[in-house]
Amino acid sequence: MPSAADLKRALRPAVHRLRQRRDALLGGNCIVLLYHRVIELATDPQQLAVSPARFDAQLAWLKANCQVLTADEFDEFLQSGKRFPSNSALITFDDGYADNHQIARPILERHALQGLFYIASGYIGADREYWWDELERLLLVNRNLPKAFEYDRLEGELNWNYDHPPNAADMRERYGFLIATLRILSSEARDAILSELRIRLDSSRPRSTHLPMTQDELRAFASSPSVAIGAHTIGHCTLSSRDEDGQRSEIIGSKQALEALLNRPIVRFAYPFGTGAEFNAVSMRICEQAGFHHAAANVTGIVHRRSPRFAFPRVIVRDWEAKEFERRLRPFLR
Ligand SMILES: [Zn+2]
């Protein structure tokens, strides 16, 4: 006979579906989509890029099947506790890649839709790749890797010694290790390691396909009616790994930097990485006290009238054809 715990576990998905249906019935249902990049890439280990043609098709599908909200409209519902329109949607992007301006913006403009872009301010105009992209460049696509390498930080995990150039599987493992390790460091400690590795691994030039926006690009970008801007920390660190002062300087620092650059109030925020483990009650309190209207998480689900304003869910979008896009969104629609 199954135990009560087994039974509870087996029923969990059904209970979740029922709860979601009840929330949608009472509070409306808004799907907040989470994108990062719109571009064709040769390699994409983090699966962040959607091709321009597929993004175009996804927007066409959204326009035909959902009520796509602007950032102002979304905040109005979330702040007032009014019921969200049935099958509404909000388009969001994280990080601030240059392709958001060069490729995604014109497609949004053509569809007369708006995206809300959360920007990691420390990367704007810094002429370097986002740190996870740098790790890819240094370890996975670097043609200058030495046969032997010794690095006295990171407890020797990055040392190797072969009689041939390192093989791809081996470097993928080290890349995975470094992603997990650097993710919980402060932005400063992480950047110090990257500065050393750039020189030691002979790969210091950022790839033109992987650059964040420059300051001029961000200003031009932000002047489009298809663009709303939010903050996303300075250095894209894990907030829950920082103490309160560290969190405050990353959160408020990005708000102030973007306000100075764009000469407008920045009232929206998204937690880097954003799963429940990467921000905490302190992050939420700082965001609320800083005067943000909302803070976006990266857990899956619909937004309804009672969703937490400082940790609402989003649905991450991959490089899906319109049919697959529809299949993935179906569970969130009524
Ligand atoms: Zn991000």
Side-chain angles (χ1 to χ4, degrees), residues 9-38:
R9 204 169 307 124
L11 284 174
R12 206 174 285 154
V15 169
H16 179 78
R17 270 198 306 278
L18 280 174
R19 211 172 270 158
Q20 189 167 290
R21 210 169 294 163
R22 181 204 59 195
D23 288 342
L25 199 66
L26 300 175
N29 60 320
C30 180
I31 310 172
V32 181
L33 299 163
L34 166 54
Y35 291 91
H36 293 85
R37 314 196 57 181
V38 174

PDB file of all heavy atoms in Angstrom, residues 9-38:
ATOM      1  N   ARG A   9       2.904  12.867  -2.743  1.00  0.00           N
ATOM      2  CA  ARG A   9       3.849  13.167  -3.814  1.00  0.00           C
ATOM      3  C   ARG A   9       3.197  12.919  -5.178  1.00  0.00           C
ATOM      4  O   ARG A   9       3.336  13.712  -6.094  1.00  0.00           O
ATOM      5  CB  ARG A   9       5.108  12.305  -3.658  1.00  0.00           C
ATOM      6  CG  ARG A   9       6.320  12.931  -4.317  1.00  0.00           C
ATOM      7  CD  ARG A   9       7.616  12.222  -3.933  1.00  0.00           C
ATOM      8  NE  ARG A   9       7.795  12.096  -2.490  1.00  0.00           N
ATOM      9  CZ  ARG A   9       7.986  10.931  -1.848  1.00  0.00           C
ATOM     10  NH1 ARG A   9       7.992   9.799  -2.516  1.00  0.00           N
ATOM     11  NH2 ARG A   9       8.147  10.910  -0.542  1.00  0.00           N
ATOM     12  N   ALA A  10       2.465  11.823  -5.290  1.00  0.00           N
ATOM     13  CA  ALA A  10       1.834  11.474  -6.566  1.00  0.00           C
ATOM     14  C   ALA A  10       0.772  12.499  -6.952  1.00  0.00           C
ATOM     15  O   ALA A  10       0.549  12.777  -8.124  1.00  0.00           O
ATOM     16  CB  ALA A  10       1.212  10.083  -6.466  1.00  0.00           C
ATOM     17  N   LEU A  11       0.127  13.073  -5.950  1.00  0.00           N
ATOM     18  CA  LEU A  11      -0.956  14.023  -6.232  1.00  0.00           C
ATOM     19  C   LEU A  11      -0.445  15.441  -6.506  1.00  0.00           C
ATOM     20  O   LEU A  11      -1.192  16.285  -6.985  1.00  0.00           O
ATOM     21  CB  LEU A  11      -1.927  14.072  -5.042  1.00  0.00           C
ATOM     22  CG  LEU A  11      -2.864  12.871  -4.927  1.00  0.00           C
ATOM     23  CD1 LEU A  11      -3.664  12.949  -3.637  1.00  0.00           C
ATOM     24  CD2 LEU A  11      -3.816  12.812  -6.128  1.00  0.00           C
ATOM     25  N   ARG A  12       0.830  15.662  -6.201  1.00  0.00           N
ATOM     26  CA  ARG A  12       1.349  17.033  -6.257  1.00  0.00           C
ATOM     27  C   ARG A  12       1.111  17.736  -7.601  1.00  0.00           C
ATOM     28  O   ARG A  12       0.623  18.868  -7.622  1.00  0.00           O
ATOM     29  CB  ARG A  12       2.835  17.047  -5.875  1.00  0.00           C
ATOM     30  CG  ARG A  12       3.261  18.387  -5.313  1.00  0.00           C
ATOM     31  CD  ARG A  12       4.670  18.360  -4.800  1.00  0.00           C
ATOM     32  NE  ARG A  12       4.820  17.670  -3.528  1.00  0.00           N
ATOM     33  CZ  ARG A  12       5.953  17.091  -3.118  1.00  0.00           C
ATOM     34  NH1 ARG A  12       7.017  17.106  -3.888  1.00  0.00           N
ATOM     35  NH2 ARG A  12       6.011  16.501  -1.938  1.00  0.00           N
ATOM     36  N   PRO A  13       1.445  17.092  -8.753  1.00  0.00           N
ATOM     37  CA  PRO A  13       1.220  17.794 -10.026  1.00  0.00           C
ATOM     38  C   PRO A  13      -0.246  18.170 -10.246  1.00  0.00           C
ATOM     39  O   PRO A  13      -0.547  19.261 -10.741  1.00  0.00           O
ATOM     40  CB  PRO A  13       1.675  16.763 -11.077  1.00  0.00           C
ATOM     41  CG  PRO A  13       2.536  15.799 -10.348  1.00  0.00           C
ATOM     42  CD  PRO A  13       2.046  15.765  -8.931  1.00  0.00           C
ATOM     43  N   ALA A  14      -1.155  17.272  -9.856  1.00  0.00           N
ATOM     44  CA  ALA A  14      -2.586  17.553 -10.045  1.00  0.00           C
ATOM     45  C   ALA A  14      -3.013  18.716  -9.155  1.00  0.00           C
ATOM     46  O   ALA A  14      -3.752  19.611  -9.594  1.00  0.00           O
ATOM     47  CB  ALA A  14      -3.406  16.305  -9.721  1.00  0.00           C
ATOM     48  N   VAL A  15      -2.519  18.721  -7.907  1.00  0.00           N
ATOM     49  CA  VAL A  15      -2.851  19.813  -6.985  1.00  0.00           C
ATOM     50  C   VAL A  15      -2.322  21.134  -7.530  1.00  0.00           C
ATOM     51  O   VAL A  15      -3.009  22.166  -7.511  1.00  0.00           O
ATOM     52  CB  VAL A  15      -2.259  19.527  -5.576  1.00  0.00           C
ATOM     53  CG1 VAL A  15      -2.364  20.752  -4.681  1.00  0.00           C
ATOM     54  CG2 VAL A  15      -2.963  18.334  -4.949  1.00  0.00           C
ATOM     55  N   HIS A  16      -1.094  21.073  -8.073  1.00  0.00           N
ATOM     56  CA  HIS A  16      -0.482  22.275  -8.640  1.00  0.00           C
ATOM     57  C   HIS A  16      -1.330  22.823  -9.799  1.00  0.00           C
ATOM     58  O   HIS A  16      -1.582  24.021  -9.890  1.00  0.00           O
ATOM     59  CB  HIS A  16       0.936  21.945  -9.113  1.00  0.00           C
ATOM     60  CG  HIS A  16       1.640  23.117  -9.731  1.00  0.00           C
ATOM     61  ND1 HIS A  16       2.189  24.123  -8.971  1.00  0.00           N
ATOM     62  CD2 HIS A  16       1.837  23.461 -11.025  1.00  0.00           C
ATOM     63  CE1 HIS A  16       2.711  25.023  -9.773  1.00  0.00           C
ATOM     64  NE2 HIS A  16       2.505  24.655 -11.029  1.00  0.00           N
ATOM     65  N   ARG A  17      -1.789  21.894 -10.666  1.00  0.00           N
ATOM     66  CA  ARG A  17      -2.609  22.317 -11.812  1.00  0.00           C
ATOM     67  C   ARG A  17      -3.924  22.940 -11.354  1.00  0.00           C
ATOM     68  O   ARG A  17      -4.355  23.959 -11.870  1.00  0.00           O
ATOM     69  CB  ARG A  17      -2.904  21.108 -12.719  1.00  0.00           C
ATOM     70  CG  ARG A  17      -1.858  20.903 -13.805  1.00  0.00           C
ATOM     71  CD  ARG A  17      -2.387  20.016 -14.921  1.00  0.00           C
ATOM     72  NE  ARG A  17      -2.893  18.740 -14.437  1.00  0.00           N
ATOM     73  CZ  ARG A  17      -2.130  17.680 -14.169  1.00  0.00           C
ATOM     74  NH1 ARG A  17      -0.818  17.758 -14.321  1.00  0.00           N
ATOM     75  NH2 ARG A  17      -2.647  16.552 -13.728  1.00  0.00           N
ATOM     76  N   LEU A  18      -4.526  22.322 -10.338  1.00  0.00           N
ATOM     77  CA  LEU A  18      -5.802  22.844  -9.827  1.00  0.00           C
ATOM     78  C   LEU A  18      -5.618  24.236  -9.227  1.00  0.00           C
ATOM     79  O   LEU A  18      -6.415  25.144  -9.433  1.00  0.00           O
ATOM     80  CB  LEU A  18      -6.366  21.910  -8.751  1.00  0.00           C
ATOM     81  CG  LEU A  18      -7.091  20.677  -9.283  1.00  0.00           C
ATOM     82  CD1 LEU A  18      -7.465  19.757  -8.126  1.00  0.00           C
ATOM     83  CD2 LEU A  18      -8.349  21.100 -10.048  1.00  0.00           C
ATOM     84  N   ARG A  19      -4.512  24.365  -8.481  1.00  0.00           N
ATOM     85  CA  ARG A  19      -4.237  25.653  -7.833  1.00  0.00           C
ATOM     86  C   ARG A  19      -4.028  26.733  -8.899  1.00  0.00           C
ATOM     87  O   ARG A  19      -4.538  27.846  -8.777  1.00  0.00           O
ATOM     88  CB  ARG A  19      -2.976  25.499  -6.975  1.00  0.00           C
ATOM     89  CG  ARG A  19      -3.000  26.384  -5.751  1.00  0.00           C
ATOM     90  CD  ARG A  19      -1.851  26.076  -4.842  1.00  0.00           C
ATOM     91  NE  ARG A  19      -2.171  25.053  -3.857  1.00  0.00           N
ATOM     92  CZ  ARG A  19      -1.261  24.304  -3.221  1.00  0.00           C
ATOM     93  NH1 ARG A  19       0.017  24.435  -3.503  1.00  0.00           N
ATOM     94  NH2 ARG A  19      -1.629  23.438  -2.319  1.00  0.00           N
ATOM     95  N   GLN A  20      -3.290  26.356  -9.947  1.00  0.00           N
ATOM     96  CA  GLN A  20      -3.021  27.316 -11.020  1.00  0.00           C
ATOM     97  C   GLN A  20      -4.327  27.730 -11.706  1.00  0.00           C
ATOM     98  O   GLN A  20      -4.539  28.896 -12.022  1.00  0.00           O
ATOM     99  CB  GLN A  20      -2.059  26.683 -12.029  1.00  0.00           C
ATOM    100  CG  GLN A  20      -1.548  27.665 -13.056  1.00  0.00           C
ATOM    101  CD  GLN A  20      -0.370  27.099 -13.833  1.00  0.00           C
ATOM    102  OE1 GLN A  20       0.718  26.926 -13.304  1.00  0.00           O
ATOM    103  NE2 GLN A  20      -0.589  26.802 -15.090  1.00  0.00           N
ATOM    104  N   ARG A  21      -5.224  26.739 -11.898  1.00  0.00           N
ATOM    105  CA  ARG A  21      -6.508  27.042 -12.540  1.00  0.00           C
ATOM    106  C   ARG A  21      -7.336  27.985 -11.659  1.00  0.00           C
ATOM    107  O   ARG A  21      -7.944  28.923 -12.139  1.00  0.00           O
ATOM    108  CB  ARG A  21      -7.273  25.737 -12.813  1.00  0.00           C
ATOM    109  CG  ARG A  21      -8.151  25.841 -14.033  1.00  0.00           C
ATOM    110  CD  ARG A  21      -8.695  24.507 -14.461  1.00  0.00           C
ATOM    111  NE  ARG A  21      -7.667  23.589 -14.932  1.00  0.00           N
ATOM    112  CZ  ARG A  21      -7.855  22.273 -15.043  1.00  0.00           C
ATOM    113  NH1 ARG A  21      -8.999  21.735 -14.709  1.00  0.00           N
ATOM    114  NH2 ARG A  21      -6.895  21.509 -15.494  1.00  0.00           N
ATOM    115  N   ARG A  22      -7.321  27.719 -10.345  1.00  0.00           N
ATOM    116  CA  ARG A  22      -8.074  28.569  -9.415  1.00  0.00           C
ATOM    117  C   ARG A  22      -7.504  29.994  -9.428  1.00  0.00           C
ATOM    118  O   ARG A  22      -8.247  30.975  -9.525  1.00  0.00           O
ATOM    119  CB  ARG A  22      -7.987  27.984  -7.990  1.00  0.00           C
ATOM    120  CG  ARG A  22      -8.756  28.798  -6.945  1.00  0.00           C
ATOM    121  CD  ARG A  22      -8.185  28.570  -5.554  1.00  0.00           C
ATOM    122  NE  ARG A  22      -6.773  28.948  -5.493  1.00  0.00           N
ATOM    123  CZ  ARG A  22      -5.950  28.597  -4.509  1.00  0.00           C
ATOM    124  NH1 ARG A  22      -6.373  27.839  -3.532  1.00  0.00           N
ATOM    125  NH2 ARG A  22      -4.684  29.002  -4.520  1.00  0.00           N
ATOM    126  N   ASP A  23      -6.141  30.116  -9.347  1.00  0.00           N
ATOM    127  CA  ASP A  23      -5.509  31.441  -9.365  1.00  0.00           C
ATOM    128  C   ASP A  23      -5.878  32.200 -10.633  1.00  0.00           C
ATOM    129  O   ASP A  23      -6.184  33.391 -10.593  1.00  0.00           O
ATOM    130  CB  ASP A  23      -3.977  31.304  -9.308  1.00  0.00           C
ATOM    131  CG  ASP A  23      -3.499  30.854  -7.936  1.00  0.00           C
ATOM    132  OD1 ASP A  23      -4.278  30.985  -6.966  1.00  0.00           O
ATOM    133  OD2 ASP A  23      -2.362  30.360  -7.847  1.00  0.00           O
ATOM    134  N   ALA A  24      -5.839  31.486 -11.776  1.00  0.00           N
ATOM    135  CA  ALA A  24      -6.124  32.136 -13.064  1.00  0.00           C
ATOM    136  C   ALA A  24      -7.573  32.590 -13.140  1.00  0.00           C
ATOM    137  O   ALA A  24      -7.885  33.649 -13.672  1.00  0.00           O
ATOM    138  CB  ALA A  24      -5.801  31.181 -14.209  1.00  0.00           C
ATOM    139  N   LEU A  25      -8.453  31.772 -12.556  1.00  0.00           N
ATOM    140  CA  LEU A  25      -9.880  32.092 -12.575  1.00  0.00           C
ATOM    141  C   LEU A  25     -10.140  33.358 -11.758  1.00  0.00           C
ATOM    142  O   LEU A  25     -10.833  34.276 -12.182  1.00  0.00           O
ATOM    143  CB  LEU A  25     -10.653  30.910 -11.971  1.00  0.00           C
ATOM    144  CG  LEU A  25     -12.126  30.835 -12.288  1.00  0.00           C
ATOM    145  CD1 LEU A  25     -12.315  30.580 -13.782  1.00  0.00           C
ATOM    146  CD2 LEU A  25     -12.786  29.701 -11.490  1.00  0.00           C
ATOM    147  N   LEU A  26      -9.536  33.412 -10.576  1.00  0.00           N
ATOM    148  CA  LEU A  26      -9.789  34.539  -9.673  1.00  0.00           C
ATOM    149  C   LEU A  26      -8.919  35.749  -9.981  1.00  0.00           C
ATOM    150  O   LEU A  26      -9.349  36.878  -9.820  1.00  0.00           O
ATOM    151  CB  LEU A  26      -9.536  34.110  -8.220  1.00  0.00           C
ATOM    152  CG  LEU A  26     -10.402  32.962  -7.708  1.00  0.00           C
ATOM    153  CD1 LEU A  26      -9.976  32.560  -6.310  1.00  0.00           C
ATOM    154  CD2 LEU A  26     -11.866  33.372  -7.715  1.00  0.00           C
ATOM    155  N   GLY A  27      -7.682  35.490 -10.388  1.00  0.00           N
ATOM    156  CA  GLY A  27      -6.732  36.602 -10.494  1.00  0.00           C
ATOM    157  C   GLY A  27      -6.246  36.904 -11.890  1.00  0.00           C
ATOM    158  O   GLY A  27      -5.386  37.748 -12.086  1.00  0.00           O
ATOM    159  N   GLY A  28      -6.830  36.216 -12.916  1.00  0.00           N
ATOM    160  CA  GLY A  28      -6.340  36.401 -14.269  1.00  0.00           C
ATOM    161  C   GLY A  28      -5.045  35.617 -14.464  1.00  0.00           C
ATOM    162  O   GLY A  28      -4.528  35.016 -13.525  1.00  0.00           O
ATOM    163  N   ASN A  29      -4.547  35.616 -15.699  1.00  0.00           N
ATOM    164  CA  ASN A  29      -3.290  34.911 -15.939  1.00  0.00           C
ATOM    165  C   ASN A  29      -2.427  35.689 -16.913  1.00  0.00           C
ATOM    166  O   ASN A  29      -2.832  35.965 -18.033  1.00  0.00           O
ATOM    167  CB  ASN A  29      -3.530  33.485 -16.439  1.00  0.00           C
ATOM    168  CG  ASN A  29      -4.299  33.431 -17.744  1.00  0.00           C
ATOM    169  OD1 ASN A  29      -5.231  34.203 -17.943  1.00  0.00           O
ATOM    170  ND2 ASN A  29      -3.899  32.541 -18.629  1.00  0.00           N
ATOM    171  N   CYS A  30      -1.260  36.088 -16.434  1.00  0.00           N
ATOM    172  CA  CYS A  30      -0.300  36.789 -17.279  1.00  0.00           C
ATOM    173  C   CYS A  30       0.950  35.917 -17.362  1.00  0.00           C
ATOM    174  O   CYS A  30       1.495  35.512 -16.336  1.00  0.00           O
ATOM    175  CB  CYS A  30       0.029  38.160 -16.678  1.00  0.00           C
ATOM    176  SG  CYS A  30       1.206  39.092 -17.668  1.00  0.00           S
ATOM    177  N   ILE A  31       1.383  35.629 -18.586  1.00  0.00           N
ATOM    178  CA  ILE A  31       2.624  34.870 -18.777  1.00  0.00           C
ATOM    179  C   ILE A  31       3.738  35.882 -18.973  1.00  0.00           C
ATOM    180  O   ILE A  31       3.719  36.654 -19.927  1.00  0.00           O
ATOM    181  CB  ILE A  31       2.557  33.982 -20.037  1.00  0.00           C
ATOM    182  CG1 ILE A  31       1.272  33.162 -20.044  1.00  0.00           C
ATOM    183  CG2 ILE A  31       3.771  33.074 -20.117  1.00  0.00           C
ATOM    184  CD1 ILE A  31       1.062  32.423 -21.354  1.00  0.00           C
ATOM    185  N   VAL A  32       4.699  35.895 -18.048  1.00  0.00           N
ATOM    186  CA  VAL A  32       5.846  36.784 -18.214  1.00  0.00           C
ATOM    187  C   VAL A  32       6.965  35.969 -18.855  1.00  0.00           C
ATOM    188  O   VAL A  32       7.496  35.036 -18.239  1.00  0.00           O
ATOM    189  CB  VAL A  32       6.295  37.393 -16.874  1.00  0.00           C
ATOM    190  CG1 VAL A  32       7.472  38.338 -17.107  1.00  0.00           C
ATOM    191  CG2 VAL A  32       5.140  38.130 -16.212  1.00  0.00           C
ATOM    192  N   LEU A  33       7.273  36.297 -20.096  1.00  0.00           N
ATOM    193  CA  LEU A  33       8.271  35.536 -20.845  1.00  0.00           C
ATOM    194  C   LEU A  33       9.663  36.065 -20.546  1.00  0.00           C
ATOM    195  O   LEU A  33       9.855  37.281 -20.426  1.00  0.00           O
ATOM    196  CB  LEU A  33       7.983  35.665 -22.347  1.00  0.00           C
ATOM    197  CG  LEU A  33       6.612  35.121 -22.752  1.00  0.00           C
ATOM    198  CD1 LEU A  33       6.217  35.652 -24.119  1.00  0.00           C
ATOM    199  CD2 LEU A  33       6.631  33.599 -22.749  1.00  0.00           C
ATOM    200  N   LEU A  34      10.605  35.147 -20.418  1.00  0.00           N
ATOM    201  CA  LEU A  34      11.986  35.548 -20.132  1.00  0.00           C
ATOM    202  C   LEU A  34      12.897  35.160 -21.295  1.00  0.00           C
ATOM    203  O   LEU A  34      13.104  33.981 -21.575  1.00  0.00           O
ATOM    204  CB  LEU A  34      12.469  34.883 -18.828  1.00  0.00           C
ATOM    205  CG  LEU A  34      13.975  34.920 -18.542  1.00  0.00           C
ATOM    206  CD1 LEU A  34      14.527  36.338 -18.592  1.00  0.00           C
ATOM    207  CD2 LEU A  34      14.268  34.312 -17.172  1.00  0.00           C
ATOM    208  N   TYR A  35      13.411  36.197 -21.979  1.00  0.00           N
ATOM    209  CA  TYR A  35      14.397  36.017 -23.052  1.00  0.00           C
ATOM    210  C   TYR A  35      15.745  36.569 -22.592  1.00  0.00           C
ATOM    211  O   TYR A  35      15.829  37.342 -21.628  1.00  0.00           O
ATOM    212  CB  TYR A  35      13.994  36.819 -24.292  1.00  0.00           C
ATOM    213  CG  TYR A  35      12.774  36.330 -25.046  1.00  0.00           C
ATOM    214  CD1 TYR A  35      11.493  36.802 -24.735  1.00  0.00           C
ATOM    215  CD2 TYR A  35      12.906  35.438 -26.102  1.00  0.00           C
ATOM    216  CE1 TYR A  35      10.380  36.378 -25.451  1.00  0.00           C
ATOM    217  CE2 TYR A  35      11.798  35.020 -26.829  1.00  0.00           C
ATOM    218  CZ  TYR A  35      10.543  35.485 -26.503  1.00  0.00           C
ATOM    219  OH  TYR A  35       9.448  35.070 -27.222  1.00  0.00           O
ATOM    220  N   HIS A  36      16.802  36.213 -23.346  1.00  0.00           N
ATOM    221  CA  HIS A  36      18.115  36.821 -23.127  1.00  0.00           C
ATOM    222  C   HIS A  36      18.666  37.433 -24.414  1.00  0.00           C
ATOM    223  O   HIS A  36      19.102  38.564 -24.423  1.00  0.00           O
ATOM    224  CB  HIS A  36      19.115  35.792 -22.599  1.00  0.00           C
ATOM    225  CG  HIS A  36      18.798  35.304 -21.221  1.00  0.00           C
ATOM    226  ND1 HIS A  36      17.932  34.277 -20.972  1.00  0.00           N
ATOM    227  CD2 HIS A  36      19.222  35.738 -20.004  1.00  0.00           C
ATOM    228  CE1 HIS A  36      17.831  34.080 -19.668  1.00  0.00           C
ATOM    229  NE2 HIS A  36      18.600  34.949 -19.051  1.00  0.00           N
ATOM    230  N   ARG A  37      18.661  36.638 -25.497  1.00  0.00           N
ATOM    231  CA  ARG A  37      19.308  37.076 -26.724  1.00  0.00           C
ATOM    232  C   ARG A  37      18.470  36.714 -27.946  1.00  0.00           C
ATOM    233  O   ARG A  37      17.790  35.684 -27.939  1.00  0.00           O
ATOM    234  CB  ARG A  37      20.677  36.378 -26.895  1.00  0.00           C
ATOM    235  CG  ARG A  37      21.538  36.345 -25.667  1.00  0.00           C
ATOM    236  CD  ARG A  37      22.970  36.000 -26.048  1.00  0.00           C
ATOM    237  NE  ARG A  37      23.451  36.976 -27.025  1.00  0.00           N
ATOM    238  CZ  ARG A  37      24.657  36.957 -27.595  1.00  0.00           C
ATOM    239  NH1 ARG A  37      25.485  35.985 -27.297  1.00  0.00           N
ATOM    240  NH2 ARG A  37      25.007  37.882 -28.445  1.00  0.00           N
ATOM    241  N   VAL A  38      18.554  37.553 -28.995  1.00  0.00           N
ATOM    242  CA  VAL A  38      17.968  37.205 -30.287  1.00  0.00           C
ATOM    243  C   VAL A  38      19.101  37.313 -31.310  1.00  0.00           C
ATOM    244  O   VAL A  38      19.549  38.410 -31.652  1.00  0.00           O
ATOM    245  CB  VAL A  38      16.798  38.133 -30.653  1.00  0.00           C
ATOM    246  CG1 VAL A  38      16.308  37.822 -32.064  1.00  0.00           C
ATOM    247  CG2 VAL A  38      15.657  37.961 -29.659  1.00  0.00           C
TER     248      VAL A  38
END
